[in-house]
Amino acid sequence: MLDIKFIRENPEAVQTAALQKRMEIDLDGILRLDRRRRENITEAEQLKKQLNAASAEIGKKKKAGEDTSGAIAAMKEVSARIGEMDDACREIEAELRRKMLRVPNIPDPSSPVGGEDKNIDLRSWGEKPEFTFTPAPHWELGEKMRMLDLPRGAKVSGSGFFVLTGIGAKLQRAVINFMLDRHVAAGYTEVRPPYLVNTATMTGTGQLPKLEDDMYRIANDDLYLIPTAEVPVTNMHAGETLRAEDLPLKYVAYTPCFRREAGAHGKDTRGMIRVHQFDKVELVKIVRPEDSWNELESLLADAENILQLLELPYRVRVLATGDLSFAAAKCYDLEVWAPGVGNYLEVSSCSNFLDFQARRMNARYRPAPKEKLQFVHTLNGSGLALPRTIIALLENHQTKQGTVRIPEALRPYLGGIDQIK
RNA sequence: GGAGAGAUGUCCGAGUGGUUUAAGGAGCACGCCUGGAAAGCGUGUGGGUGUUAACGCGCCUCCUGGGUUCGAAUCCCAGUCUCUCCGCCA
């Protein structure tokens, strides 16, 4: 959420941001409601002041045994009027909030303006492997090696679900443990959050109200399956006043993620590139405002480190405004090369949300004793998403013999084996 | 799922309709006192929001949201969370 004061004073910047992000907002409605709200409050508070004084007076008179019926009758009217104005104000505020919750964060100036085609390739790492044969896609490798069972995933759940079996399941477990250990070594605290969260939590990080259709909802209990660990982990500190000396908070969480992928039907349908349920290791940071840009760079480096240790070629892109998510001010995408499918696959998005999520969640800290409370900054990034990392491992490290080489760093997690046959 | 108890400021804790504009204590900050300190004494002590150039002046805030009343921490309704017991359960 943006600060209403900021919107009031910079309406054109807000409008421009929404256009750049290709999102519709009701800016005029917001400004109008904001004005009405303040007029209403000013007037109602005058009446409340009057009422408070009169009520105290009545109390005194009653104690003294004086007649108060006239004053009470007069105040009855004032009280009724206040009630009306408070009702009106509540309605105005609810509508204002509804509209404010749909205003996206403003892109940082370093984000290129435009659509997907304006994303900037910042750098790449590693060499794409050269094959003396045509590299197979992961669904072929996975089936041949009895690691990946797509038909049975579809049978028990539907399209967009898969089953990892045998060494495939073990490989994924190994990669998860490897990632967690790396990030913990880099100073992140491991957490295991709930996978079901309430409406307030989904609103706090910005998934609601905009992405309602993209999520699985448990209607009976008004809970949602998390689309990313970002949601429960960031919201752990919703409504809290954090101690300055505790910042930055750095968390790493492994969770499954659930996404309906509404509107993405027919895209990346083969294999496990785009699925309804996948595992992910997520990094979350809660930091002081002045540190957030540096923290974004180190977050990105922490995610990149995983790909490097897994010996997977990748590129880093700066997302253009049209590709930026609702809550993000800036985002780097990490895309790993997948020779079998012949494409780069997004395995991580590292974003700085500035105080946008913090304001929604009401997460603050005191910069120094005696200073006013301030909103913290929040960041997150995948470190990394599992299926696509597994895809890249299989496709990049496949050999002519039909085996898959295990990178050095992963071997301790697989009982020391150097290949999968 | 059933029965019960509870939630008050940074903390402890009083408070069942009107000098509570939240008692009292602790903590913290500042001042006095002191050679310095302790003790003692005094003053201050949250958050949100409206208005204002600012000082300031208000309003809201006793878990949350409604309601009753001229007036609610206090009464009523709904909900959340914590604890105890019972039942069920991996």
Side-chain angles (χ1 to χ4, degrees):
Chain A
M1 201 152 58
L2 297 176
D3 187 349
I4 184 63
K5 281 188 202 128
F6 178 85
I7 297 177
R8 198 184 297 151
E9 286 158 20
N10 306 276
E12 61 300 318
V14 175
Q15 189 57 261
T16 302
L19 286 172
Q20 288 177 346
K21 280 196 167 180
R22 298 166 187 203
M23 294 172 191
E24 289 211 7
I25 61 169
D26 181 10
L27 185 60
D28 289 341
I30 288 170
L31 294 172
R32 195 178 58 243
L33 287 165
D34 173 49
R35 217 176 306 119
R36 274 180 55 199
R37 172 178 171 271
R38 282 180 296 144
E39 288 166 1
N40 196 307
I41 285 177
T42 305
E43 195 182 333
E45 284 182 354
Q46 286 303 313
L47 293 174
K48 284 181 186 176
K49 185 181 177 183
Q50 191 187 333
L51 179 79
N52 286 344
S55 291
E57 201 56 35
I58 289 170
K60 275 187 203 160
K61 281 190 178 172
K62 277 215 163 173
K63 205 146 235 181
E66 297 174 35
D67 176 59
T68 55
S69 54
I72 286 178
M75 283 309 107
K76 197 164 195 154
E77 276 178 43
V78 173
S79 179
R81 177 74 188 129
I82 289 171
E84 283 167 28
M85 299 201 65
D86 279 350
D87 285 347
C89 203
R90 254 196 297 276
E91 260 173 59
I92 292 168
E93 278 175 352
E95 202 182 336
L96 180 60
R97 179 175 161 80
R98 217 170 319 154
K99 291 184 190 293
M100 294 267 291
L101 284 175
R102 290 183 177 274
V103 177
N105 201 358
I106 294 180
D108 184 70
S110 65
S111 304
V113 174
E116 201 176 342
D117 54 311
K118 291 289 194 300
N119 291 346
I120 297 173
D121 280 321
L122 198 61
R123 60 172 174 268
S124 33
W125 181 94
E127 297 291 323
K128 290 183 185 175
E130 302 275 347
F131 296 100
T132 58
F133 57 97
T134 306
H138 66 280
W139 54 85
E140 280 177 22
L141 292 164
E143 187 186 352
K144 203 178 306 170
M145 305 173 95
R146 295 171 183 269
M147 298 168 67
L148 172 64
D149 193 336
L150 291 160
R152 290 197 171 102
K155 175 163 69 182
V156 298
S157 298
S159 89
F161 292 90
F162 62 95
V163 183
L164 292 172
T165 58
I167 188 68
K170 185 169 181 181
L171 175 63
Q172 170 146 316
R173 175 156 54 93
V175 174
I176 290 165
N177 284 333
F178 161 70
M179 290 177 180
L180 286 171
D181 285 351
R182 287 302 311 171
H183 294 311
V184 168
Y188 292 81
T189 300
E190 185 174 348
V191 295
R192 311 225 75 207
Y195 305 158
L196 286 164
V197 299
N198 57 32
T199 302
T201 298
M202 275 298 185
T203 307
T205 27
Q207 278 70 24
L208 286 179
K210 189 172 174 283
L211 299 176
E212 169 97 55
D213 292 343
D214 291 322
M215 291 179 300
Y216 290 101
R217 177 163 177 232
I218 314 295
N220 280 351
D221 297 293
D222 201 26
L223 291 168
Y224 296 85
L225 279 161
I226 56 171
T228 161
E230 161 197 352
V231 177
V233 175
T234 310
N235 278 286
M236 287 199 302
H237 297 292
E240 293 185 7
T241 300
L242 297 160
R243 305 194 325 173
E245 60 266 35
D246 290 339
L247 301 179
L249 293 167
K250 296 165 67 179
Y251 295 114
V252 56
Y254 151 66
T255 71
C257 303
F258 305 89
R259 300 186 182 179
R260 292 186 63 227
E261 297 292 346
H265 289 303
K267 213 175 160 189
D268 304 323
T269 47
R270 291 207 74 175
M272 51 176 188
I273 298 176
R274 185 175 297 276
V275 288
H276 291 308
Q277 179 191 323
F278 61 94
D279 285 356
K280 183 155 63 68
V281 170
E282 181 78 1
L283 305 173
V284 172
K285 287 186 181 180
I286 296 178
V287 309
R288 300 174 194 225
E290 64 269 27
D291 297 334
S292 69
W293 291 113
N294 284 336
E295 293 286 358
L296 177 62
E297 295 303 319
S298 72
L299 180 71
L300 175 65
D302 290 331
E304 283 188 64
N305 184 245
I306 298 294
L307 288 172
Q308 291 170 7
L309 289 168
L310 294 179
E311 301 168 34
L312 297 171
Y314 65 88
R315 64 183 184 190
V316 184
R317 318 190 90 192
V318 183
L319 290 195
T321 55
D323 237 11
L324 271 181
S325 71
F326 175 75
K330 183 172 187 175
C331 179
Y332 293 112
D333 265 11
L334 239 51
E335 297 185 343
V336 71
W337 174 244
V341 298
N343 233 328
Y344 280 96
L345 303 177
E346 180 192 328
V347 284
S348 179
S349 292
C350 300
S351 310
N352 187 357
F353 303 95
L354 305 178
D355 63 2
F356 188 85
Q357 294 181 326
R359 185 172 288 107
R360 283 177 165 244
M361 296 191 306
N362 192 26
R364 300 173 298 171
Y365 84 112
R366 196 180 303 280
K370 301 266 182 182
E371 279 186 46
K372 288 208 68 166
L373 295 179
Q374 250 184 58
F375 290 112
V376 293
H377 281 195
T378 60
L379 306 93
N380 67 56
S382 335
L384 308 161
L386 263 301
R388 292 177 184 176
T389 301
I390 300 290
I391 289 171
L393 280 170
L394 297 181
E395 294 187 1
N396 280 286
H397 297 322
Q398 60 182 301
T399 68
K400 197 174 181 179
Q401 292 74 38
T403 63
V404 172
R405 186 179 67 83
I406 302 296
E408 230 28 275
L410 210 49
R411 290 177 194 171
Y413 294 89
L414 285 166
I417 62 167
D418 59 4
Q419 61 174 346
I420 298 173
K421 292 181 188 161

